[in-house]
Amino acid sequence: VVRMAWGLAVVVLFVALTAVMTYPQVRQMDSVARNEGDALFSTWRLAWVAHILPRDPFNLFNANIFHPESGTLALSDAMIVPALMTAPLIWAGVPQLLAYNLLFLSGFALSGAAMFLLVRSLTGSVPAGLFAGFIFAFLPYRFMHYAHLELQMSHWMPLCLWALHRTIEKGRIRDGLLTGLFLALQCLSSWYYGIFLS
């Protein structure tokens, strides 16, 4: 119970920090803040997955662009996991840009919380975990790529490294499976980071 309370407090802290560090994004949740092209393209990718999954999942990659070409979703990073994260929101009628922005901002907060977990487990220090989480969540690189949703989806990397360290330390199959799962989730969230992490 104490660990869950700590975890929730850390996530809430990074959500608050995200609201401050990305301001005024939280006031513009129904629009894109900068570089509309990539943000709107990412919104389309998320919406396409939500649209096609309940109708014809076997045609997921045959997106409705570049007709008559097939497999067109694979011409860019398909972001399958982020799309699955937003699909329930879109199915519930949440506007697509709002779903995009919620996912986009979650990338900052979840990355910070995940890095906190990794550094806290390695050092035993809460301040070191918070500092590392802050740096990882809000480094200038993220703001240079503000319009690239897939480059905000980095939270699986520290979780993968956390599980890898536990696998090496404890030798449990469960931790090894978690390492593989987090690596797969990273690859399906951002191919760029999946390749770098591999």
Side-chain angles (χ1 to χ4, degrees), residues 5 14 19 22 58 104 107 114 142:
F14 279 104
T22 62
F58 294 108
F104 172 76
R142 284 189 188 275

Side-chain angles (χ1 to χ4, degrees), residues 4 6 20 29 32 34 50 64-65 70 80 83 91-92 95 98 100 133 146 154 161 163 167 177-178 187 194 198:
M4 289 188 70
W6 260 105
V20 171
M29 295 297 281
V32 290
R34 293 187 261 183
N64 60 349
I65 56 173
S70 61
I80 299 298
W91 294 334
L98 177 56
Y100 164 85
Y146 201 76
S154 61
L161 294 173
T167 303
L177 292 173
L178 274 177
C187 288
S198 298

Side-chain angles (χ1 to χ4, degrees), residues 2-40:
V2 173
R3 282 186 184 180
M4 289 188 70
W6 260 105
L8 182 59
V10 167
V11 170
V12 168
L13 172 65
F14 279 104
V15 166
L17 287 170
T18 297
V20 171
M21 296 297 293
T22 62
Y23 190 83
Q25 185 70 45
V26 294
R27 295 185 63 214
Q28 303 168 343
M29 295 297 281
D30 59 347
S31 65
V32 290
R34 293 187 261 183
N35 191 336
E36 289 185 7
D38 280 351
L40 294 176

Side-chain angles (χ1 to χ4, degrees), residues 87-167:
L89 296 174
I90 294 171
W91 294 334
V94 172
Q96 294 170 2
L97 283 174
L98 177 56
Y100 164 85
N101 280 311
L102 289 170
L103 178 69
F104 172 76
L105 293 176
S106 78
F108 290 89
L110 293 174
S111 293
M115 184 56 76
F116 168 84
L117 175 66
L118 172 62
V119 173
R120 167 70 175 83
S121 71
L122 293 175
T123 66
S125 169
V126 170
L130 291 173
F131 182 73
F134 182 82
I135 296 299
F136 186 63
F138 306 111
L139 68 154
Y141 172 82
R142 284 189 188 275
F143 293 94
M144 289 169 42
H145 292 280
Y146 201 76
H148 302 126
L149 178 61
E150 60 272 24
L151 297 183
Q152 305 304 332
M153 300 290 107
S154 61
H155 46 281
W156 304 115
M157 288 191 289
L159 293 175
C160 183
L161 294 173
W162 170 79
L164 178 62
H165 281 281
R166 289 172 60 94
T167 303

